Amino acid sequence: MIDHSSNSSVAIIGGGLAGLAAGCALADAGFEVTLFERRPYVGGRASSYEHPGTGEVVDNCQHVLLGCCTNLTHFYEHIGVSDKIQWFDELTFIEPGGRASTLSPSMLPAPLHSMPAFFGTSSLSLGDKLGISRALTAMMRRLPEDGDGDFLQWLRRHGQTERAIERFWKVVLVSALNEDLDRISVRYAVQVFRESFLKSAKAGKMGVPRIPLSELYNSAAEFIRSHGGEVLLRASVTGINSGPDGVKITSNPGEQQFDFAILAVPFQTAASLLPAGPIAEPLKNNLGQFEASPITGIHLWFDREITSLPHAVLLDRTIQWMFQKNKFHSNGNDSQGSYLELVVSASKSLVEKSRQEIIDLALAELAEFFPSAKEAKLLKAAVIKEVYATYSVMPGLDRFRPQARTQWPGLFLAGDWTATGWPATMEGAVRSGYLAAEALTRSIGNPQQFLIPDLKAQGLMKLFG
Ligand SMILES: Cc1cc2nc3c(=O)[nH]c(=O)nc-3n(C[C@H](O)[C@H](O)[C@H](O)COP(=O)(O)OP(=O)(O)OC[C@H]3O[C@@H](n4cnc5c(N)ncnc54)[C@H](O)[C@@H]3O)c2cc1C
């Protein structure tokens, strides 16, 4: 039997945010952590690498966080990289043709803080805005359970105009949840608006990393090492066996025995790594219910600046967000040129298109928003399609998302797809890592708390929690 009087050993399989968060929490609590990551760098789906075609270090995709991401911001503080996040409280929405509207908070109490700017936007009519306000009021009351209806049906039931759907609801939710509105659970759509728009001005701030993602998350690997743990890169786990003496991990470094293991790989990989036997079948069946949705990032290096904005939401076209990375990224082009990344979430229409077709489309659309793009010379470009970027928070999916604790003694699950109550985000992944670490400490009768509470509602939202 395992002797927990000495420091217990924990294998963590997967060096994405879930695995790193669990590893940092447990290493800090005195566990001997060994993290296995099959790639040569950590960060998982939020990582950066040298792009072979351009020679530039690029993020697999621009990642943003919001003020309501309490566990992610705690994780950044814990590993000492909070100063590498740049925060913005203003969002610019641009229509084709270049007309821009800005959304920023006022001094009014939540949930009214954004209302003055919202009613000043030019992309929506007064009727659209009144309809949106009514729907937001309906969301204030409570967070619904994950039921069967999809969010597009909900919007239609709540009398939303086509323009409000296209230029407001879709813009926010397709980026936040990486799915089309008719494939999004009402619970998660409402959660996005309650947590980020309604609860407080702080909750809605947008943060962007100022350094490449793998550099950011390498600080977590360093944290684990500095607390006596190991982070093994290019270490692919091929088998997990759980028994009364702990968990045996088979990987390319060989076989090792641990007291505990946390499986923190994506849902597609998790099923094949579960210990063999009938006990795994219900979990495998549940994992079979998940579906993935793509995101495409289009990286463009120009010989000149085409806008002074650091970022903008682009309306009514395929390209949805523009990030001018040299404005906040220390890795960006600091000469007279500019480095833009355009992001297309739920990019099903781009998956089959060639690199050149996507670049041509992006350049044509970009010029509709920023006419000076027509004169700029494109120096180089990269297209990164993440076909399995995130799982879709489809109506009813919650009943298939597993808890951290499993039927196998000593084996726990983490990953953005586990039962965190959050969608597939960096915040969801960190929450899952903290929850798995908590479940592990509970299992040995020494419960510890790692999960950080949600931001408190402010102003009038205090009435609704
Ligand atoms: C293109 C894109 C854009 C996104 N944008 C945002 C955003 O703006 N904001 C946001 O909050 N979220 C965003 N996300 C979602 C976010 O990146 C993920 O939800 C989060 O990073 C998932 O973390 P994870 O640890 O659960 O999984 P992963 O990051 O997938 O980590 C799993 C790790 O396990 C490793 N692994 C797999 N198999 C093995 C094995 N056999 N042995 C060892 N290691 C193994 C993998 O290499 C990987 O590193 C985006 C995702 C993508 C792909």
Side-chain angles (χ1 to χ4, degrees), residues 100-139:
S101 308
T102 304
L103 208 54
S104 58
S106 68
M107 298 303 284
L108 290 179
L112 305 173
H113 53 285
S114 296
M115 284 301 136
F118 173 69
F119 274 95
T121 53
S122 53
S123 53
L124 297 162
S125 72
L126 182 61
D128 302 329
K129 291 171 191 171
L130 290 173
I132 292 169
S133 305
R134 276 195 303 275
L136 287 171
T137 307
M139 290 180 169

mmCIF file of all heavy atoms in Angstrom, residues 100-139:
data_model
loop_
_atom_site.group_PDB
_atom_site.id
_atom_site.type_symbol
_atom_site.label_atom_id
_atom_site.label_comp_id
_atom_site.label_asym_id
_atom_site.label_seq_id
_atom_site.Cartn_x
_atom_site.Cartn_y
_atom_site.Cartn_z
ATOM 1 N N ALA A 100 -16.022 53.046 -37.133
ATOM 2 C CA ALA A 100 -15.643 52.360 -35.888
ATOM 3 C C ALA A 100 -16.512 52.811 -34.724
ATOM 4 O O ALA A 100 -16.927 53.972 -34.644
ATOM 5 C CB ALA A 100 -14.180 52.640 -35.569
ATOM 6 N N SER A 101 -16.799 51.890 -33.796
ATOM 7 C CA SER A 101 -17.488 52.204 -32.534
ATOM 8 C C SER A 101 -16.652 51.628 -31.411
ATOM 9 O O SER A 101 -16.036 50.572 -31.574
ATOM 10 C CB SER A 101 -18.852 51.531 -32.455
ATOM 11 O OG SER A 101 -19.619 51.788 -33.573
ATOM 12 N N THR A 102 -16.692 52.312 -30.273
ATOM 13 C CA THR A 102 -15.866 51.849 -29.151
ATOM 14 C C THR A 102 -16.744 51.479 -27.971
ATOM 15 O O THR A 102 -17.679 52.202 -27.637
ATOM 16 C CB THR A 102 -14.905 52.973 -28.720
ATOM 17 O OG1 THR A 102 -14.166 53.332 -29.878
ATOM 18 C CG2 THR A 102 -13.936 52.507 -27.658
ATOM 19 N N LEU A 103 -16.423 50.352 -27.363
ATOM 20 C CA LEU A 103 -17.127 49.915 -26.153
ATOM 21 C C LEU A 103 -16.157 50.022 -24.989
ATOM 22 O O LEU A 103 -15.080 49.417 -25.014
ATOM 23 C CB LEU A 103 -17.573 48.461 -26.336
ATOM 24 C CG LEU A 103 -18.803 47.992 -25.602
ATOM 25 C CD1 LEU A 103 -19.999 48.891 -25.892
ATOM 26 C CD2 LEU A 103 -19.134 46.554 -25.995
ATOM 27 N N SER A 104 -16.529 50.825 -23.987
ATOM 28 C CA SER A 104 -15.653 50.945 -22.816
ATOM 29 C C SER A 104 -16.536 51.216 -21.599
ATOM 30 O O SER A 104 -17.651 51.708 -21.726
ATOM 31 C CB SER A 104 -14.650 52.077 -23.004
ATOM 32 O OG SER A 104 -15.340 53.273 -23.227
ATOM 33 N N PRO A 105 -16.044 50.907 -20.393
ATOM 34 C CA PRO A 105 -16.888 51.082 -19.209
ATOM 35 C C PRO A 105 -17.012 52.540 -18.783
ATOM 36 O O PRO A 105 -16.136 53.351 -19.075
ATOM 37 C CB PRO A 105 -16.150 50.277 -18.127
ATOM 38 C CG PRO A 105 -14.745 50.177 -18.594
ATOM 39 C CD PRO A 105 -14.744 50.304 -20.082
ATOM 40 N N SER A 106 -18.132 52.856 -18.114
ATOM 41 C CA SER A 106 -18.335 54.204 -17.574
ATOM 42 C C SER A 106 -18.316 54.101 -16.048
ATOM 43 O O SER A 106 -18.041 53.037 -15.501
ATOM 44 C CB SER A 106 -19.690 54.731 -18.026
ATOM 45 O OG SER A 106 -20.698 53.971 -17.381
ATOM 46 N N MET A 107 -18.666 55.186 -15.368
ATOM 47 C CA MET A 107 -18.700 55.171 -13.904
ATOM 48 C C MET A 107 -20.006 54.561 -13.370
ATOM 49 O O MET A 107 -20.159 54.358 -12.171
ATOM 50 C CB MET A 107 -18.580 56.605 -13.352
ATOM 51 C CG MET A 107 -17.280 57.289 -13.702
ATOM 52 S SD MET A 107 -15.858 56.355 -13.130
ATOM 53 C CE MET A 107 -15.923 56.746 -11.388
ATOM 54 N N LEU A 108 -20.943 54.246 -14.248
ATOM 55 C CA LEU A 108 -22.230 53.708 -13.775
ATOM 56 C C LEU A 108 -22.042 52.351 -13.105
ATOM 57 O O LEU A 108 -21.133 51.592 -13.465
ATOM 58 C CB LEU A 108 -23.206 53.561 -14.949
ATOM 59 C CG LEU A 108 -23.739 54.852 -15.568
ATOM 60 C CD1 LEU A 108 -24.661 54.527 -16.737
ATOM 61 C CD2 LEU A 108 -24.484 55.662 -14.526
ATOM 62 N N PRO A 109 -22.890 52.012 -12.129
ATOM 63 C CA PRO A 109 -22.728 50.711 -11.464
ATOM 64 C C PRO A 109 -23.081 49.555 -12.402
ATOM 65 O O PRO A 109 -23.930 49.706 -13.285
ATOM 66 C CB PRO A 109 -23.730 50.790 -10.294
ATOM 67 C CG PRO A 109 -24.739 51.792 -10.714
ATOM 68 C CD PRO A 109 -24.035 52.785 -11.596
ATOM 69 N N ALA A 110 -22.417 48.401 -12.174
ATOM 70 C CA ALA A 110 -22.744 47.196 -12.947
ATOM 71 C C ALA A 110 -24.210 46.834 -12.706
ATOM 72 O O ALA A 110 -24.703 47.008 -11.601
ATOM 73 C CB ALA A 110 -21.846 46.042 -12.508
ATOM 74 N N PRO A 111 -24.947 46.382 -13.690
ATOM 75 C CA PRO A 111 -24.505 46.020 -15.040
ATOM 76 C C PRO A 111 -24.630 47.157 -16.054
ATOM 77 O O PRO A 111 -24.571 46.902 -17.255
ATOM 78 C CB PRO A 111 -25.476 44.898 -15.393
ATOM 79 C CG PRO A 111 -26.764 45.339 -14.746
ATOM 80 C CD PRO A 111 -26.379 46.046 -13.472
ATOM 81 N N LEU A 112 -24.792 48.405 -15.555
ATOM 82 C CA LEU A 112 -25.049 49.513 -16.487
ATOM 83 C C LEU A 112 -23.754 50.144 -16.992
ATOM 84 O O LEU A 112 -23.785 51.055 -17.818
ATOM 85 C CB LEU A 112 -25.891 50.593 -15.769
ATOM 86 C CG LEU A 112 -27.199 50.079 -15.151
ATOM 87 C CD1 LEU A 112 -27.865 51.166 -14.321
ATOM 88 C CD2 LEU A 112 -28.143 49.604 -16.255
ATOM 89 N N HIS A 113 -22.591 49.644 -16.500
ATOM 90 C CA HIS A 113 -21.325 50.335 -16.764
ATOM 91 C C HIS A 113 -21.003 50.498 -18.244
ATOM 92 O O HIS A 113 -20.384 51.476 -18.633
ATOM 93 C CB HIS A 113 -20.167 49.646 -16.026
ATOM 94 C CG HIS A 113 -20.047 48.175 -16.293
ATOM 95 N ND1 HIS A 113 -20.895 47.253 -15.737
ATOM 96 C CD2 HIS A 113 -19.191 47.475 -17.063
ATOM 97 C CE1 HIS A 113 -20.555 46.044 -16.149
ATOM 98 N NE2 HIS A 113 -19.524 46.155 -16.960
ATOM 99 N N SER A 114 -21.410 49.543 -19.081
ATOM 100 C CA SER A 114 -21.081 49.640 -20.511
ATOM 101 C C SER A 114 -22.194 50.294 -21.326
ATOM 102 O O SER A 114 -22.057 50.488 -22.536
ATOM 103 C CB SER A 114 -20.807 48.254 -21.098
ATOM 104 O OG SER A 114 -19.677 47.704 -20.489
ATOM 105 N N MET A 115 -23.326 50.590 -20.663
ATOM 106 C CA MET A 115 -24.511 51.035 -21.412
ATOM 107 C C MET A 115 -24.304 52.349 -22.176
ATOM 108 O O MET A 115 -24.702 52.452 -23.343
ATOM 109 C CB MET A 115 -25.729 51.124 -20.488
ATOM 110 C CG MET A 115 -26.313 49.768 -20.153
ATOM 111 S SD MET A 115 -26.823 48.878 -21.653
ATOM 112 C CE MET A 115 -26.231 47.253 -21.368
ATOM 113 N N PRO A 116 -23.685 53.398 -21.573
ATOM 114 C CA PRO A 116 -23.520 54.632 -22.355
ATOM 115 C C PRO A 116 -22.768 54.389 -23.665
ATOM 116 O O PRO A 116 -23.200 54.828 -24.731
ATOM 117 C CB PRO A 116 -22.727 55.539 -21.403
ATOM 118 C CG PRO A 116 -23.052 55.038 -20.033
ATOM 119 C CD PRO A 116 -23.212 53.560 -20.188
ATOM 120 N N ALA A 117 -21.661 53.638 -23.599
ATOM 121 C CA ALA A 117 -20.889 53.371 -24.825
ATOM 122 C C ALA A 117 -21.688 52.482 -25.770
ATOM 123 O O ALA A 117 -21.718 52.699 -26.985
ATOM 124 C CB ALA A 117 -19.566 52.704 -24.460
ATOM 125 N N PHE A 118 -22.394 51.494 -25.212
ATOM 126 C CA PHE A 118 -23.169 50.573 -26.033
ATOM 127 C C PHE A 118 -24.245 51.339 -26.817
ATOM 128 O O PHE A 118 -24.423 51.124 -28.022
ATOM 129 C CB PHE A 118 -23.802 49.505 -25.127
ATOM 130 C CG PHE A 118 -24.768 48.598 -25.831
ATOM 131 C CD1 PHE A 118 -24.333 47.680 -26.757
ATOM 132 C CD2 PHE A 118 -26.134 48.679 -25.554
ATOM 133 C CE1 PHE A 118 -25.224 46.848 -27.414
ATOM 134 C CE2 PHE A 118 -27.040 47.844 -26.203
ATOM 135 C CZ PHE A 118 -26.583 46.932 -27.132
ATOM 136 N N PHE A 119 -24.939 52.264 -26.121
ATOM 137 C CA PHE A 119 -25.989 53.016 -26.828
ATOM 138 C C PHE A 119 -25.401 54.019 -27.815
ATOM 139 O O PHE A 119 -26.093 54.504 -28.700
ATOM 140 C CB PHE A 119 -26.960 53.658 -25.825
ATOM 141 C CG PHE A 119 -28.052 52.694 -25.434
ATOM 142 C CD1 PHE A 119 -27.943 51.915 -24.293
ATOM 143 C CD2 PHE A 119 -29.153 52.505 -26.257
ATOM 144 C CE1 PHE A 119 -28.924 50.985 -23.959
ATOM 145 C CE2 PHE A 119 -30.141 51.577 -25.938
ATOM 146 C CZ PHE A 119 -30.022 50.816 -24.785
ATOM 147 N N GLY A 120 -24.103 54.284 -27.710
ATOM 148 C CA GLY A 120 -23.451 55.186 -28.672
ATOM 149 C C GLY A 120 -22.900 54.487 -29.907
ATOM 150 O O GLY A 120 -22.454 55.131 -30.848
ATOM 151 N N THR A 121 -22.911 53.146 -29.936
ATOM 152 C CA THR A 121 -22.303 52.448 -31.080
ATOM 153 C C THR A 121 -23.122 52.684 -32.357
ATOM 154 O O THR A 121 -24.353 52.789 -32.319
ATOM 155 C CB THR A 121 -22.223 50.913 -30.834
ATOM 156 O OG1 THR A 121 -23.525 50.454 -30.473
ATOM 157 C CG2 THR A 121 -21.238 50.583 -29.746
ATOM 158 N N SER A 122 -22.401 52.758 -33.480
ATOM 159 C CA SER A 122 -23.081 53.048 -34.748
ATOM 160 C C SER A 122 -23.462 51.784 -35.511
ATOM 161 O O SER A 122 -24.224 51.843 -36.470
ATOM 162 C CB SER A 122 -22.168 53.899 -35.626
ATOM 163 O OG SER A 122 -20.915 53.269 -35.736
ATOM 164 N N SER A 123 -22.962 50.626 -35.068
ATOM 165 C CA SER A 123 -23.190 49.411 -35.860
ATOM 166 C C SER A 123 -24.556 48.784 -35.605
ATOM 167 O O SER A 123 -24.944 47.850 -36.293
ATOM 168 C CB SER A 123 -22.078 48.397 -35.561
ATOM 169 O OG SER A 123 -21.987 48.190 -34.170
ATOM 170 N N LEU A 124 -25.290 49.304 -34.613
ATOM 171 C CA LEU A 124 -26.608 48.751 -34.279
ATOM 172 C C LEU A 124 -27.630 49.879 -34.235
ATOM 173 O O LEU A 124 -27.292 51.012 -33.846
ATOM 174 C CB LEU A 124 -26.558 48.078 -32.901
ATOM 175 C CG LEU A 124 -25.623 46.863 -32.767
ATOM 176 C CD1 LEU A 124 -25.333 46.563 -31.301
ATOM 177 C CD2 LEU A 124 -26.222 45.636 -33.439
ATOM 178 N N SER A 125 -28.892 49.555 -34.590
ATOM 179 C CA SER A 125 -29.946 50.574 -34.505
ATOM 180 C C SER A 125 -30.471 50.641 -33.075
ATOM 181 O O SER A 125 -30.193 49.737 -32.262
ATOM 182 C CB SER A 125 -31.095 50.216 -35.453
ATOM 183 O OG SER A 125 -31.794 49.115 -34.914
ATOM 184 N N LEU A 126 -31.274 51.673 -32.790
ATOM 185 C CA LEU A 126 -31.846 51.797 -31.444
ATOM 186 C C LEU A 126 -32.709 50.577 -31.121
ATOM 187 O O LEU A 126 -32.667 50.042 -30.013
ATOM 188 C CB LEU A 126 -32.666 53.086 -31.334
ATOM 189 C CG LEU A 126 -33.268 53.351 -29.959
ATOM 190 C CD1 LEU A 126 -32.189 53.497 -28.892
ATOM 191 C CD2 LEU A 126 -34.160 54.592 -29.980
ATOM 192 N N GLY A 127 -33.456 50.103 -32.118
ATOM 193 C CA GLY A 127 -34.315 48.917 -31.909
ATOM 194 C C GLY A 127 -33.470 47.691 -31.556
ATOM 195 O O GLY A 127 -33.823 46.926 -30.653
ATOM 196 N N ASP A 128 -32.332 47.517 -32.279
ATOM 197 C CA ASP A 128 -31.435 46.383 -31.968
ATOM 198 C C ASP A 128 -30.975 46.488 -30.522
ATOM 199 O O ASP A 128 -30.963 45.503 -29.772
ATOM 200 C CB ASP A 128 -30.170 46.407 -32.843
ATOM 201 C CG ASP A 128 -30.447 46.372 -34.333
ATOM 202 O OD1 ASP A 128 -31.464 45.772 -34.717
ATOM 203 O OD2 ASP A 128 -29.641 46.951 -35.092
ATOM 204 N N LYS A 129 -30.580 47.712 -30.136
ATOM 205 C CA LYS A 129 -29.986 47.895 -28.802
ATOM 206 C C LYS A 129 -31.019 47.664 -27.693
ATOM 207 O O LYS A 129 -30.695 47.063 -26.667
ATOM 208 C CB LYS A 129 -29.406 49.314 -28.682
ATOM 209 C CG LYS A 129 -28.176 49.515 -29.558
ATOM 210 C CD LYS A 129 -27.767 50.967 -29.594
ATOM 211 C CE LYS A 129 -26.735 51.210 -30.668
ATOM 212 N NZ LYS A 129 -26.460 52.623 -30.901
ATOM 213 N N LEU A 130 -32.250 48.127 -27.934
ATOM 214 C CA LEU A 130 -33.278 47.907 -26.906
ATOM 215 C C LEU A 130 -33.566 46.417 -26.755
ATOM 216 O O LEU A 130 -33.718 45.905 -25.645
ATOM 217 C CB LEU A 130 -34.548 48.684 -27.266
ATOM 218 C CG LEU A 130 -34.407 50.215 -27.150
ATOM 219 C CD1 LEU A 130 -35.653 50.922 -27.694
ATOM 220 C CD2 LEU A 130 -34.143 50.646 -25.703
ATOM 221 N N GLY A 131 -33.592 45.709 -27.888
ATOM 222 C CA GLY A 131 -33.810 44.248 -27.854
ATOM 223 C C GLY A 131 -32.679 43.554 -27.104
ATOM 224 O O GLY A 131 -32.916 42.670 -26.265
ATOM 225 N N ILE A 132 -31.452 43.955 -27.392
ATOM 226 C CA ILE A 132 -30.290 43.347 -26.710
ATOM 227 C C ILE A 132 -30.369 43.625 -25.210
ATOM 228 O O ILE A 132 -30.124 42.739 -24.388
ATOM 229 C CB ILE A 132 -28.967 43.903 -27.308
ATOM 230 C CG1 ILE A 132 -28.790 43.404 -28.742
ATOM 231 C CG2 ILE A 132 -27.770 43.500 -26.452
ATOM 232 C CD1 ILE A 132 -27.676 44.093 -29.528
ATOM 233 N N SER A 133 -30.751 44.853 -24.855
ATOM 234 C CA SER A 133 -30.840 45.199 -23.421
ATOM 235 C C SER A 133 -31.876 44.331 -22.716
ATOM 236 O O SER A 133 -31.666 43.886 -21.585
ATOM 237 C CB SER A 133 -31.215 46.666 -23.239
ATOM 238 O OG SER A 133 -30.317 47.464 -23.939
ATOM 239 N N ARG A 134 -32.992 44.075 -23.407
ATOM 240 C CA ARG A 134 -34.024 43.211 -22.797
ATOM 241 C C ARG A 134 -33.469 41.795 -22.577
ATOM 242 O O ARG A 134 -33.674 41.180 -21.530
ATOM 243 C CB ARG A 134 -35.268 43.142 -23.703
ATOM 244 C CG ARG A 134 -36.235 44.309 -23.505
ATOM 245 C CD ARG A 134 -37.595 44.016 -24.138
ATOM 246 N NE ARG A 134 -37.510 43.703 -25.561
ATOM 247 C CZ ARG A 134 -37.480 44.620 -26.537
ATOM 248 N NH1 ARG A 134 -37.555 45.907 -26.241
ATOM 249 N NH2 ARG A 134 -37.389 44.268 -27.800
ATOM 250 N N ALA A 135 -32.746 41.296 -23.576
ATOM 251 C CA ALA A 135 -32.191 39.933 -23.445
ATOM 252 C C ALA A 135 -31.132 39.887 -22.340
ATOM 253 O O ALA A 135 -31.070 38.920 -21.570
ATOM 254 C CB ALA A 135 -31.593 39.486 -24.779
ATOM 255 N N LEU A 136 -30.326 40.931 -22.241
ATOM 256 C CA LEU A 136 -29.303 40.958 -21.181
ATOM 257 C C LEU A 136 -29.967 41.003 -19.806
ATOM 258 O O LEU A 136 -29.500 40.381 -18.850
ATOM 259 C CB LEU A 136 -28.366 42.163 -21.360
ATOM 260 C CG LEU A 136 -27.366 42.064 -22.517
ATOM 261 C CD1 LEU A 136 -26.644 43.404 -22.723
ATOM 262 C CD2 LEU A 136 -26.330 40.967 -22.273
ATOM 263 N N THR A 137 -31.088 41.732 -19.724
ATOM 264 C CA THR A 137 -31.816 41.796 -18.444
ATOM 265 C C THR A 137 -32.316 40.402 -18.058
ATOM 266 O O THR A 137 -32.232 39.998 -16.890
ATOM 267 C CB THR A 137 -33.009 42.775 -18.558
ATOM 268 O OG1 THR A 137 -32.495 44.008 -19.043
ATOM 269 C CG2 THR A 137 -33.692 43.001 -17.228
ATOM 270 N N ALA A 138 -32.785 39.651 -19.064
ATOM 271 C CA ALA A 138 -33.265 38.287 -18.775
ATOM 272 C C ALA A 138 -32.112 37.410 -18.275
ATOM 273 O O ALA A 138 -32.321 36.495 -17.477
ATOM 274 C CB ALA A 138 -33.882 37.677 -20.032
ATOM 275 N N MET A 139 -30.883 37.707 -18.736
ATOM 276 C CA MET A 139 -29.722 36.892 -18.322
ATOM 277 C C MET A 139 -29.274 37.210 -16.894
ATOM 278 O O MET A 139 -28.565 36.418 -16.279
ATOM 279 C CB MET A 139 -28.537 37.175 -19.245
ATOM 280 C CG MET A 139 -28.713 36.637 -20.626
ATOM 281 S SD MET A 139 -27.242 37.056 -21.585
ATOM 282 C CE MET A 139 -27.539 36.056 -23.032
#
